[in-house]
Short mmCIF file of all heavy atoms in Angstrom, two decimals:
data_model
loop_
_atom_site.label_atom_id
_atom_site.label_comp_id
_atom_site.label_asym_id
_atom_site.label_seq_id
_atom_site.Cartn_x
_atom_site.Cartn_y
_atom_site.Cartn_z
N MET A 1 -152.08 66.11 47.96
CA MET A 1 -152.52 64.85 48.53
C MET A 1 -151.28 64.04 48.87
O MET A 1 -150.38 63.89 48.04
CB MET A 1 -153.39 64.11 47.52
CG MET A 1 -153.93 62.78 47.96
SD MET A 1 -155.38 62.80 49.01
CE MET A 1 -156.62 63.43 47.95
N GLN A 2 -151.25 63.55 50.08
CA GLN A 2 -150.14 62.70 50.51
C GLN A 2 -150.63 61.28 50.74
O GLN A 2 -151.69 61.08 51.32
CB GLN A 2 -149.55 63.21 51.83
CG GLN A 2 -148.87 64.54 51.75
CD GLN A 2 -148.14 64.86 53.03
OE1 GLN A 2 -147.50 64.01 53.62
NE2 GLN A 2 -148.24 66.11 53.46
N LYS A 3 -149.87 60.33 50.26
CA LYS A 3 -150.16 58.93 50.53
C LYS A 3 -149.07 58.45 51.47
O LYS A 3 -147.88 58.53 51.15
CB LYS A 3 -150.16 58.11 49.24
CG LYS A 3 -150.66 56.70 49.45
CD LYS A 3 -150.92 56.03 48.12
CE LYS A 3 -151.71 54.76 48.37
NZ LYS A 3 -152.34 54.27 47.18
N LYS A 4 -149.47 58.02 52.66
CA LYS A 4 -148.52 57.61 53.69
C LYS A 4 -148.83 56.20 54.15
O LYS A 4 -149.99 55.80 54.22
CB LYS A 4 -148.62 58.54 54.91
CG LYS A 4 -148.30 59.98 54.63
CD LYS A 4 -146.82 60.19 54.59
CE LYS A 4 -146.52 61.68 54.54
NZ LYS A 4 -145.12 61.96 54.69
N SER A 5 -147.77 55.48 54.49
CA SER A 5 -147.95 54.15 55.07
C SER A 5 -148.03 54.30 56.58
O SER A 5 -147.27 55.07 57.19
CB SER A 5 -146.76 53.25 54.73
OG SER A 5 -146.77 52.95 53.37
N VAL A 6 -148.95 53.57 57.19
CA VAL A 6 -149.09 53.55 58.64
C VAL A 6 -149.21 52.10 59.09
O VAL A 6 -149.57 51.22 58.30
CB VAL A 6 -150.31 54.36 59.13
CG1 VAL A 6 -150.14 55.84 58.85
CG2 VAL A 6 -151.60 53.87 58.51
N VAL A 7 -148.91 51.88 60.35
CA VAL A 7 -149.04 50.55 60.93
C VAL A 7 -150.10 50.62 62.01
O VAL A 7 -149.99 51.42 62.95
CB VAL A 7 -147.69 50.05 61.51
CG1 VAL A 7 -147.87 48.69 62.14
CG2 VAL A 7 -146.63 50.02 60.43
N ILE A 8 -151.13 49.82 61.86
CA ILE A 8 -152.25 49.80 62.80
C ILE A 8 -152.03 48.68 63.81
O ILE A 8 -151.78 47.54 63.42
CB ILE A 8 -153.59 49.62 62.06
CG1 ILE A 8 -153.81 50.82 61.13
CG2 ILE A 8 -154.75 49.48 63.04
CD1 ILE A 8 -155.00 50.69 60.23
N ALA A 9 -152.13 49.04 65.08
CA ALA A 9 -152.00 48.08 66.19
C ALA A 9 -150.67 47.35 66.13
O ALA A 9 -150.57 46.21 66.58
CB ALA A 9 -153.17 47.11 66.20
N GLY A 10 -149.64 47.99 65.59
CA GLY A 10 -148.32 47.43 65.57
C GLY A 10 -148.12 46.24 64.63
O GLY A 10 -147.06 45.63 64.63
N ARG A 11 -149.16 45.90 63.86
CA ARG A 11 -149.01 44.70 63.03
C ARG A 11 -149.62 44.79 61.64
O ARG A 11 -149.27 44.00 60.78
CB ARG A 11 -149.58 43.49 63.76
CG ARG A 11 -151.06 43.57 64.06
CD ARG A 11 -151.53 42.36 64.88
NE ARG A 11 -152.92 42.40 65.14
CZ ARG A 11 -153.52 43.11 66.09
NH1 ARG A 11 -152.80 43.85 66.89
NH2 ARG A 11 -154.81 43.08 66.26
N HIS A 12 -150.51 45.69 61.40
CA HIS A 12 -151.20 45.75 60.10
C HIS A 12 -150.77 47.01 59.36
O HIS A 12 -151.12 48.12 59.76
CB HIS A 12 -152.72 45.74 60.31
CG HIS A 12 -153.50 45.90 59.05
ND1 HIS A 12 -153.60 44.92 58.11
CD2 HIS A 12 -154.20 46.96 58.57
CE1 HIS A 12 -154.33 45.36 57.10
NE2 HIS A 12 -154.71 46.60 57.36
N GLN A 13 -150.00 46.85 58.28
CA GLN A 13 -149.56 48.00 57.50
C GLN A 13 -150.60 48.32 56.43
O GLN A 13 -151.12 47.42 55.77
CB GLN A 13 -148.22 47.72 56.84
CG GLN A 13 -147.67 48.95 56.15
CD GLN A 13 -146.20 48.79 55.79
OE1 GLN A 13 -145.54 47.88 56.24
NE2 GLN A 13 -145.72 49.69 54.96
N THR A 14 -150.91 49.60 56.31
CA THR A 14 -151.86 50.07 55.31
C THR A 14 -151.43 51.46 54.87
O THR A 14 -150.50 52.04 55.44
CB THR A 14 -153.31 50.05 55.85
OG1 THR A 14 -154.22 50.29 54.77
CG2 THR A 14 -153.53 51.08 56.93
N SER A 15 -152.09 52.00 53.89
CA SER A 15 -151.78 53.37 53.47
C SER A 15 -153.01 54.24 53.59
O SER A 15 -154.14 53.76 53.48
CB SER A 15 -151.24 53.39 52.04
OG SER A 15 -152.20 52.92 51.14
N ILE A 16 -152.76 55.50 53.84
CA ILE A 16 -153.83 56.49 53.91
C ILE A 16 -153.51 57.59 52.92
O ILE A 16 -152.34 57.89 52.67
CB ILE A 16 -154.00 57.07 55.34
CG1 ILE A 16 -152.69 57.68 55.85
CG2 ILE A 16 -154.52 56.01 56.29
CD1 ILE A 16 -152.80 58.41 57.17
N SER A 17 -154.54 58.16 52.34
CA SER A 17 -154.38 59.29 51.41
C SER A 17 -155.11 60.48 52.00
O SER A 17 -156.33 60.44 52.17
CB SER A 17 -154.97 58.95 50.05
OG SER A 17 -154.25 57.91 49.45
N LEU A 18 -154.34 61.50 52.33
CA LEU A 18 -154.91 62.71 52.92
C LEU A 18 -154.33 63.94 52.24
O LEU A 18 -153.16 63.95 51.86
CB LEU A 18 -154.57 62.80 54.42
CG LEU A 18 -155.14 61.75 55.35
CD1 LEU A 18 -154.56 61.90 56.73
CD2 LEU A 18 -156.65 61.85 55.40
N GLU A 19 -155.15 64.96 52.14
CA GLU A 19 -154.68 66.24 51.66
C GLU A 19 -153.62 66.74 52.65
O GLU A 19 -153.65 66.39 53.83
CB GLU A 19 -155.84 67.24 51.57
CG GLU A 19 -156.89 66.90 50.53
CD GLU A 19 -157.84 65.77 50.91
OE1 GLU A 19 -157.84 65.32 52.07
OE2 GLU A 19 -158.58 65.32 50.02
N ASP A 20 -152.70 67.56 52.15
CA ASP A 20 -151.61 68.05 52.99
C ASP A 20 -152.11 68.69 54.28
O ASP A 20 -151.54 68.47 55.36
CB ASP A 20 -150.75 69.05 52.22
CG ASP A 20 -150.00 68.43 51.06
OD1 ASP A 20 -149.84 67.19 51.05
OD2 ASP A 20 -149.57 69.18 50.17
N GLU A 21 -153.18 69.48 54.17
CA GLU A 21 -153.72 70.18 55.35
C GLU A 21 -154.22 69.19 56.40
O GLU A 21 -154.04 69.40 57.60
CB GLU A 21 -154.85 71.12 54.94
CG GLU A 21 -154.43 72.26 54.03
CD GLU A 21 -154.33 71.91 52.55
OE1 GLU A 21 -154.57 70.75 52.17
OE2 GLU A 21 -154.03 72.83 51.77
N PHE A 22 -154.87 68.12 55.96
CA PHE A 22 -155.36 67.12 56.91
C PHE A 22 -154.19 66.35 57.54
O PHE A 22 -154.22 66.07 58.74
CB PHE A 22 -156.33 66.14 56.24
CG PHE A 22 -157.73 66.67 56.12
CD1 PHE A 22 -158.20 67.15 54.92
CD2 PHE A 22 -158.58 66.69 57.22
CE1 PHE A 22 -159.49 67.65 54.81
CE2 PHE A 22 -159.87 67.18 57.12
CZ PHE A 22 -160.32 67.66 55.91
N TYR A 23 -153.17 66.04 56.75
CA TYR A 23 -152.04 65.31 57.32
C TYR A 23 -151.31 66.18 58.34
O TYR A 23 -150.90 65.70 59.41
CB TYR A 23 -151.07 64.83 56.24
CG TYR A 23 -150.14 63.79 56.81
CD1 TYR A 23 -150.55 62.47 56.98
CD2 TYR A 23 -148.86 64.13 57.24
CE1 TYR A 23 -149.72 61.52 57.56
CE2 TYR A 23 -148.02 63.20 57.81
CZ TYR A 23 -148.47 61.89 57.97
OH TYR A 23 -147.64 60.97 58.55
N THR A 24 -151.18 67.47 58.06
CA THR A 24 -150.56 68.38 59.02
C THR A 24 -151.35 68.42 60.31
O THR A 24 -150.78 68.37 61.40
CB THR A 24 -150.45 69.80 58.41
OG1 THR A 24 -149.61 69.74 57.26
CG2 THR A 24 -149.88 70.79 59.40
N GLU A 25 -152.68 68.49 60.23
CA GLU A 25 -153.51 68.48 61.43
C GLU A 25 -153.40 67.16 62.18
O GLU A 25 -153.39 67.14 63.41
CB GLU A 25 -154.97 68.78 61.10
CG GLU A 25 -155.26 70.24 60.87
CD GLU A 25 -154.82 71.13 62.01
OE1 GLU A 25 -155.06 70.81 63.20
OE2 GLU A 25 -154.20 72.17 61.72
N LEU A 26 -153.32 66.06 61.45
CA LEU A 26 -153.14 64.75 62.09
C LEU A 26 -151.84 64.74 62.89
O LEU A 26 -151.81 64.28 64.04
CB LEU A 26 -153.15 63.64 61.04
CG LEU A 26 -153.08 62.21 61.56
CD1 LEU A 26 -154.35 61.87 62.34
CD2 LEU A 26 -152.90 61.23 60.41
N GLU A 27 -150.77 65.27 62.31
CA GLU A 27 -149.49 65.37 63.02
C GLU A 27 -149.63 66.26 64.26
O GLU A 27 -149.10 65.92 65.33
CB GLU A 27 -148.42 65.95 62.10
CG GLU A 27 -147.98 65.02 61.01
CD GLU A 27 -146.96 65.66 60.08
OE1 GLU A 27 -147.15 66.84 59.70
OE2 GLU A 27 -146.00 64.96 59.74
N ASN A 28 -150.32 67.38 64.12
CA ASN A 28 -150.51 68.30 65.25
C ASN A 28 -151.28 67.63 66.39
O ASN A 28 -150.93 67.79 67.56
CB ASN A 28 -151.23 69.57 64.81
CG ASN A 28 -150.38 70.44 63.92
OD1 ASN A 28 -149.15 70.34 63.90
ND2 ASN A 28 -151.03 71.30 63.14
N ILE A 29 -152.33 66.91 66.05
CA ILE A 29 -153.13 66.23 67.07
C ILE A 29 -152.30 65.15 67.75
O ILE A 29 -152.35 65.01 68.98
CB ILE A 29 -154.42 65.63 66.46
CG1 ILE A 29 -155.34 66.76 65.97
CG2 ILE A 29 -155.15 64.76 67.49
CD1 ILE A 29 -156.49 66.29 65.09
N ALA A 30 -151.51 64.41 66.98
CA ALA A 30 -150.65 63.37 67.57
C ALA A 30 -149.66 64.00 68.55
O ALA A 30 -149.47 63.49 69.66
CB ALA A 30 -149.92 62.61 66.47
N LYS A 31 -149.06 65.12 68.18
CA LYS A 31 -148.13 65.82 69.08
C LYS A 31 -148.86 66.30 70.32
O LYS A 31 -148.34 66.18 71.44
CB LYS A 31 -147.48 67.01 68.36
CG LYS A 31 -146.44 66.61 67.36
CD LYS A 31 -145.87 67.83 66.66
CE LYS A 31 -145.01 67.41 65.49
NZ LYS A 31 -144.56 68.55 64.68
N GLU A 32 -150.04 66.87 70.13
CA GLU A 32 -150.85 67.39 71.24
C GLU A 32 -151.17 66.28 72.25
O GLU A 32 -151.17 66.50 73.45
CB GLU A 32 -152.14 67.97 70.66
CG GLU A 32 -153.09 68.60 71.61
CD GLU A 32 -154.33 69.09 70.87
OE1 GLU A 32 -154.19 69.86 69.91
OE2 GLU A 32 -155.43 68.68 71.27
N LYS A 33 -151.43 65.09 71.74
CA LYS A 33 -151.78 63.94 72.59
C LYS A 33 -150.54 63.13 73.01
O LYS A 33 -150.68 62.11 73.67
CB LYS A 33 -152.75 63.02 71.85
CG LYS A 33 -154.11 63.63 71.61
CD LYS A 33 -155.00 62.63 70.86
CE LYS A 33 -156.42 63.09 70.85
NZ LYS A 33 -157.31 62.18 71.53
N ASP A 34 -149.36 63.60 72.59
CA ASP A 34 -148.11 62.91 72.88
C ASP A 34 -148.16 61.45 72.40
O ASP A 34 -147.86 60.52 73.13
CB ASP A 34 -147.78 62.99 74.37
CG ASP A 34 -146.33 62.65 74.66
OD1 ASP A 34 -145.48 62.86 73.77
OD2 ASP A 34 -146.04 62.15 75.76
N MET A 35 -148.59 61.29 71.15
CA MET A 35 -148.73 59.97 70.52
C MET A 35 -148.00 59.97 69.19
O MET A 35 -147.80 61.02 68.59
CB MET A 35 -150.21 59.66 70.24
CG MET A 35 -151.13 59.65 71.41
SD MET A 35 -152.87 59.48 70.90
CE MET A 35 -152.94 57.71 70.60
N SER A 36 -147.69 58.79 68.72
CA SER A 36 -147.18 58.67 67.36
C SER A 36 -148.35 58.71 66.39
O SER A 36 -149.51 58.48 66.79
CB SER A 36 -146.42 57.35 67.19
OG SER A 36 -147.33 56.26 67.27
N ILE A 37 -148.06 58.98 65.14
CA ILE A 37 -149.10 58.94 64.10
C ILE A 37 -149.73 57.55 64.07
O ILE A 37 -150.95 57.41 64.00
CB ILE A 37 -148.50 59.29 62.71
CG1 ILE A 37 -148.03 60.74 62.66
CG2 ILE A 37 -149.51 59.01 61.59
CD1 ILE A 37 -149.11 61.78 62.62
N ASN A 38 -148.90 56.52 64.13
CA ASN A 38 -149.43 55.15 64.08
C ASN A 38 -150.38 54.87 65.24
O ASN A 38 -151.43 54.24 65.05
CB ASN A 38 -148.28 54.12 64.09
CG ASN A 38 -147.51 54.10 62.79
OD1 ASN A 38 -148.02 54.47 61.74
ND2 ASN A 38 -146.27 53.68 62.85
N SER A 39 -150.03 55.33 66.44
CA SER A 39 -150.90 55.11 67.60
C SER A 39 -152.22 55.86 67.45
O SER A 39 -153.29 55.32 67.76
CB SER A 39 -150.22 55.56 68.89
OG SER A 39 -149.09 54.78 69.14
N LEU A 40 -152.15 57.08 66.96
CA LEU A 40 -153.38 57.86 66.76
C LEU A 40 -154.25 57.22 65.69
O LEU A 40 -155.47 57.10 65.87
CB LEU A 40 -153.04 59.31 66.40
CG LEU A 40 -154.22 60.25 66.21
CD1 LEU A 40 -155.13 60.28 67.45
CD2 LEU A 40 -153.74 61.65 65.87
N VAL A 41 -153.65 56.79 64.60
CA VAL A 41 -154.43 56.14 63.54
C VAL A 41 -155.03 54.83 64.05
O VAL A 41 -156.17 54.49 63.71
CB VAL A 41 -153.58 55.93 62.27
CG1 VAL A 41 -154.30 55.07 61.25
CG2 VAL A 41 -153.22 57.28 61.65
N THR A 42 -154.30 54.11 64.89
CA THR A 42 -154.84 52.89 65.49
C THR A 42 -156.07 53.21 66.32
O THR A 42 -157.09 52.51 66.24
CB THR A 42 -153.77 52.19 66.36
OG1 THR A 42 -152.69 51.78 65.52
CG2 THR A 42 -154.35 50.98 67.08
N GLU A 43 -156.00 54.29 67.10
CA GLU A 43 -157.15 54.71 67.91
C GLU A 43 -158.34 55.08 67.03
O GLU A 43 -159.47 54.67 67.29
CB GLU A 43 -156.74 55.91 68.77
CG GLU A 43 -157.82 56.43 69.68
CD GLU A 43 -157.33 57.62 70.50
OE1 GLU A 43 -156.40 57.43 71.30
OE2 GLU A 43 -157.89 58.73 70.32
N ILE A 44 -158.09 55.85 65.99
CA ILE A 44 -159.15 56.25 65.05
C ILE A 44 -159.75 55.02 64.40
O ILE A 44 -160.98 54.88 64.30
CB ILE A 44 -158.61 57.24 63.99
CG1 ILE A 44 -158.18 58.54 64.66
CG2 ILE A 44 -159.65 57.49 62.91
CD1 ILE A 44 -157.34 59.46 63.77
N ASP A 45 -158.90 54.10 63.97
CA ASP A 45 -159.36 52.88 63.30
C ASP A 45 -160.26 52.05 64.21
O ASP A 45 -161.27 51.50 63.77
CB ASP A 45 -158.16 52.05 62.84
CG ASP A 45 -158.56 50.80 62.10
OD1 ASP A 45 -159.22 50.92 61.05
OD2 ASP A 45 -158.22 49.70 62.56
N SER A 46 -159.93 51.98 65.48
CA SER A 46 -160.70 51.15 66.40
C SER A 46 -162.09 51.71 66.67
O SER A 46 -162.99 50.97 67.08
CB SER A 46 -159.95 50.98 67.72
OG SER A 46 -159.94 52.19 68.45
N LYS A 47 -162.28 53.01 66.42
CA LYS A 47 -163.56 53.66 66.72
C LYS A 47 -164.30 54.11 65.47
O LYS A 47 -165.37 54.71 65.57
CB LYS A 47 -163.32 54.88 67.60
CG LYS A 47 -162.71 54.55 68.93
CD LYS A 47 -162.38 55.80 69.70
CE LYS A 47 -161.71 55.45 71.02
NZ LYS A 47 -161.29 56.64 71.74
N ARG A 48 -163.77 53.80 64.31
CA ARG A 48 -164.35 54.38 63.09
C ARG A 48 -165.71 53.80 62.75
O ARG A 48 -165.99 52.64 62.98
CB ARG A 48 -163.40 54.26 61.91
CG ARG A 48 -163.23 52.86 61.35
CD ARG A 48 -162.38 52.94 60.11
NE ARG A 48 -161.68 51.69 59.89
CZ ARG A 48 -161.28 51.30 58.70
NH1 ARG A 48 -161.51 52.04 57.64
NH2 ARG A 48 -160.63 50.17 58.56
N GLU A 49 -166.53 54.68 62.16
CA GLU A 49 -167.86 54.32 61.70
C GLU A 49 -167.92 54.33 60.17
O GLU A 49 -168.95 54.03 59.60
CB GLU A 49 -168.89 55.29 62.27
CG GLU A 49 -168.94 55.25 63.78
CD GLU A 49 -169.83 56.34 64.36
OE1 GLU A 49 -170.50 57.06 63.59
OE2 GLU A 49 -169.84 56.47 65.59
N HIS A 50 -166.81 54.72 59.55
CA HIS A 50 -166.74 54.81 58.10
C HIS A 50 -165.92 53.64 57.57
O HIS A 50 -164.97 53.20 58.20
CB HIS A 50 -166.08 56.13 57.67
CG HIS A 50 -166.81 57.32 58.17
ND1 HIS A 50 -167.87 57.88 57.51
CD2 HIS A 50 -166.65 58.05 59.30
CE1 HIS A 50 -168.32 58.90 58.21
NE2 HIS A 50 -167.60 59.02 59.30
N GLU A 51 -166.30 53.15 56.42
CA GLU A 51 -165.59 52.03 55.82
C GLU A 51 -164.17 52.41 55.44
O GLU A 51 -163.24 51.64 55.60
CB GLU A 51 -166.35 51.54 54.59
CG GLU A 51 -165.77 50.31 54.00
CD GLU A 51 -166.81 49.25 53.76
OE1 GLU A 51 -167.93 49.35 54.26
OE2 GLU A 51 -166.47 48.31 53.05
N ASN A 52 -163.99 53.62 54.97
CA ASN A 52 -162.70 54.09 54.48
C ASN A 52 -161.91 54.75 55.60
O ASN A 52 -162.39 55.70 56.23
CB ASN A 52 -162.96 55.07 53.33
CG ASN A 52 -161.70 55.58 52.72
OD1 ASN A 52 -161.03 56.41 53.31
ND2 ASN A 52 -161.39 55.10 51.54
N LEU A 53 -160.70 54.28 55.85
CA LEU A 53 -159.89 54.82 56.95
C LEU A 53 -159.53 56.28 56.72
O LEU A 53 -159.59 57.08 57.66
CB LEU A 53 -158.62 53.97 57.13
CG LEU A 53 -157.66 54.42 58.22
CD1 LEU A 53 -158.36 54.48 59.58
CD2 LEU A 53 -156.45 53.50 58.28
N SER A 54 -159.19 56.65 55.51
CA SER A 54 -158.85 58.05 55.23
C SER A 54 -160.03 58.97 55.53
O SER A 54 -159.86 60.06 56.10
CB SER A 54 -158.38 58.22 53.79
OG SER A 54 -157.19 57.52 53.57
N SER A 55 -161.23 58.55 55.18
CA SER A 55 -162.42 59.34 55.49
C SER A 55 -162.63 59.42 56.99
O SER A 55 -162.99 60.48 57.52
CB SER A 55 -163.66 58.73 54.84
OG SER A 55 -163.56 58.80 53.45
N ALA A 56 -162.42 58.33 57.69
CA ALA A 56 -162.58 58.31 59.15
C ALA A 56 -161.59 59.28 59.80
O ALA A 56 -161.92 59.96 60.77
CB ALA A 56 -162.38 56.90 59.69
N ILE A 57 -160.39 59.36 59.26
CA ILE A 57 -159.38 60.29 59.80
C ILE A 57 -159.82 61.72 59.57
O ILE A 57 -159.74 62.56 60.48
CB ILE A 57 -158.00 60.01 59.17
CG1 ILE A 57 -157.47 58.65 59.66
CG2 ILE A 57 -157.02 61.13 59.51
CD1 ILE A 57 -156.24 58.17 58.91
N ARG A 58 -160.34 62.02 58.39
CA ARG A 58 -160.82 63.39 58.12
C ARG A 58 -161.95 63.77 59.08
O ARG A 58 -161.97 64.89 59.61
CB ARG A 58 -161.30 63.51 56.67
CG ARG A 58 -160.20 63.55 55.66
CD ARG A 58 -160.76 63.81 54.27
NE ARG A 58 -159.80 63.47 53.26
CZ ARG A 58 -159.68 62.27 52.69
NH1 ARG A 58 -160.52 61.30 52.99
NH2 ARG A 58 -158.75 62.06 51.79
N VAL A 59 -162.88 62.87 59.30
CA VAL A 59 -164.00 63.14 60.21
C VAL A 59 -163.48 63.33 61.63
O VAL A 59 -163.91 64.23 62.35
CB VAL A 59 -165.07 62.02 60.14
CG1 VAL A 59 -166.10 62.17 61.24
CG2 VAL A 59 -165.73 62.04 58.77
N PHE A 60 -162.54 62.50 62.06
CA PHE A 60 -161.93 62.63 63.38
C PHE A 60 -161.30 64.01 63.55
O PHE A 60 -161.48 64.68 64.57
CB PHE A 60 -160.88 61.53 63.60
CG PHE A 60 -160.04 61.74 64.82
CD1 PHE A 60 -160.50 61.33 66.06
CD2 PHE A 60 -158.80 62.38 64.74
CE1 PHE A 60 -159.73 61.53 67.20
CE2 PHE A 60 -158.04 62.59 65.88
CZ PHE A 60 -158.51 62.16 67.11
N ILE A 61 -160.55 64.44 62.54
CA ILE A 61 -159.89 65.75 62.60
C ILE A 61 -160.93 66.86 62.68
O ILE A 61 -160.80 67.78 63.49
CB ILE A 61 -158.96 65.94 61.39
CG1 ILE A 61 -157.76 64.98 61.50
CG2 ILE A 61 -158.50 67.38 61.27
CD1 ILE A 61 -156.93 64.87 60.23
N LEU A 62 -161.97 66.78 61.87
CA LEU A 62 -163.03 67.78 61.90
C LEU A 62 -163.67 67.86 63.28
O LEU A 62 -163.83 68.95 63.85
CB LEU A 62 -164.09 67.47 60.84
CG LEU A 62 -165.29 68.41 60.80
CD1 LEU A 62 -164.86 69.82 60.45
CD2 LEU A 62 -166.31 67.89 59.80
N LYS A 63 -164.01 66.71 63.85
CA LYS A 63 -164.62 66.69 65.19
C LYS A 63 -163.67 67.25 66.24
O LYS A 63 -164.07 68.00 67.13
CB LYS A 63 -165.04 65.27 65.56
CG LYS A 63 -166.26 64.78 64.83
CD LYS A 63 -166.61 63.36 65.25
CE LYS A 63 -167.85 62.86 64.56
NZ LYS A 63 -168.18 61.48 64.95
N HIS A 64 -162.41 66.89 66.14
CA HIS A 64 -161.42 67.38 67.09
C HIS A 64 -161.33 68.91 67.04
O HIS A 64 -161.32 69.57 68.08
CB HIS A 64 -160.05 66.75 66.79
CG HIS A 64 -158.96 67.21 67.68
ND1 HIS A 64 -158.78 66.68 68.94
CD2 HIS A 64 -158.02 68.18 67.53
CE1 HIS A 64 -157.76 67.29 69.51
NE2 HIS A 64 -157.28 68.20 68.67
N LEU A 65 -161.25 69.46 65.84
CA LEU A 65 -161.15 70.91 65.70
C LEU A 65 -162.42 71.61 66.18
O LEU A 65 -162.35 72.68 66.79
CB LEU A 65 -160.83 71.28 64.26
CG LEU A 65 -159.44 70.86 63.77
CD1 LEU A 65 -159.29 71.12 62.28
CD2 LEU A 65 -158.35 71.55 64.56
N LYS A 66 -163.58 71.02 65.91
CA LYS A 66 -164.84 71.61 66.37
C LYS A 66 -164.91 71.61 67.89
O LYS A 66 -165.38 72.57 68.49
CB LYS A 66 -166.03 70.86 65.77
CG LYS A 66 -166.24 71.16 64.30
CD LYS A 66 -167.35 70.34 63.69
CE LYS A 66 -168.69 70.87 64.12
NZ LYS A 66 -169.81 70.21 63.42
N GLU A 67 -164.44 70.54 68.53
CA GLU A 67 -164.43 70.47 69.99
C GLU A 67 -163.52 71.54 70.58
O GLU A 67 -163.83 72.12 71.62
CB GLU A 67 -163.96 69.09 70.47
CG GLU A 67 -165.00 68.01 70.32
CD GLU A 67 -164.48 66.63 70.70
OE1 GLU A 67 -163.36 66.54 71.28
OE2 GLU A 67 -165.17 65.66 70.41
N LYS A 68 -162.40 71.80 69.93
CA LYS A 68 -161.47 72.83 70.42
C LYS A 68 -162.10 74.23 70.35
O LYS A 68 -161.77 75.09 71.16
CB LYS A 68 -160.19 72.80 69.61
CG LYS A 68 -159.27 71.65 69.97
CD LYS A 68 -158.00 71.69 69.17
CE LYS A 68 -157.05 72.69 69.77
NZ LYS A 68 -155.70 72.61 69.18
N LEU A 69 -162.99 74.42 69.40
CA LEU A 69 -163.63 75.73 69.24
C LEU A 69 -164.75 75.97 70.24
O LEU A 69 -165.12 77.10 70.49
CB LEU A 69 -164.17 75.89 67.81
CG LEU A 69 -163.13 76.04 66.72
CD1 LEU A 69 -163.80 76.04 65.34
CD2 LEU A 69 -162.30 77.31 66.92
N SER A 70 -165.32 74.88 70.75
CA SER A 70 -166.46 75.08 71.67
C SER A 70 -166.04 75.14 73.11
O SER A 70 -164.96 75.05 73.51
CB SER A 70 -167.47 73.95 71.49
OG SER A 70 -166.89 72.69 71.58
#
């Protein structure tokens, strides 16, 4: 489990806790989209339906991987 600090919308610092595998996928998706981790997390945060940001990131990653498979 990794606990990382991120900055949302360039102004709000928070931390996320993700398993190593999820953090690696988050990095891969950010590279794929040519975005920084902070920018991608900001995008996820703006669209999240879950109260917990770390959970919203996990769901985002799951949906992203499922879309790639279809």
Side-chain angles (χ1 to χ4, degrees):
M1 180 80 67
Q2 293 189 42
K3 189 168 193 163
K4 299 280 190 172
S5 291
V6 294
V7 178
I8 297 173
R11 62 184 181 280
H12 176 72
Q13 187 166 347
T14 190
S15 62
I16 56 173
S17 295
L18 295 173
E19 294 76 9
D20 293 341
E21 295 83 358
F22 279 103
Y23 195 79
T24 298
E25 281 306 315
L26 185 66
E27 290 177 317
N28 291 339
I29 294 167
K31 286 178 190 173
E32 182 181 305
K33 292 180 168 242
D34 197 27
M35 301 173 80
S36 68
I37 294 287
N38 289 335
S39 296
L40 182 56
V41 171
T42 296
E43 181 180 297
I44 295 167
D45 182 60
S46 71
K47 298 175 182 175
R48 72 174 153 155
E49 298 173 6
H50 301 274
E51 186 130 347
N52 182 286
L53 179 57
S54 296
S55 294
I57 292 170
R58 286 186 196 90
V59 170
F60 170 84
I61 292 168
L62 178 63
K63 287 180 179 179
H64 178 81
L65 293 173
K66 286 176 76 173
E67 285 176 11
K68 284 181 80 170
L69 289 174
S70 52

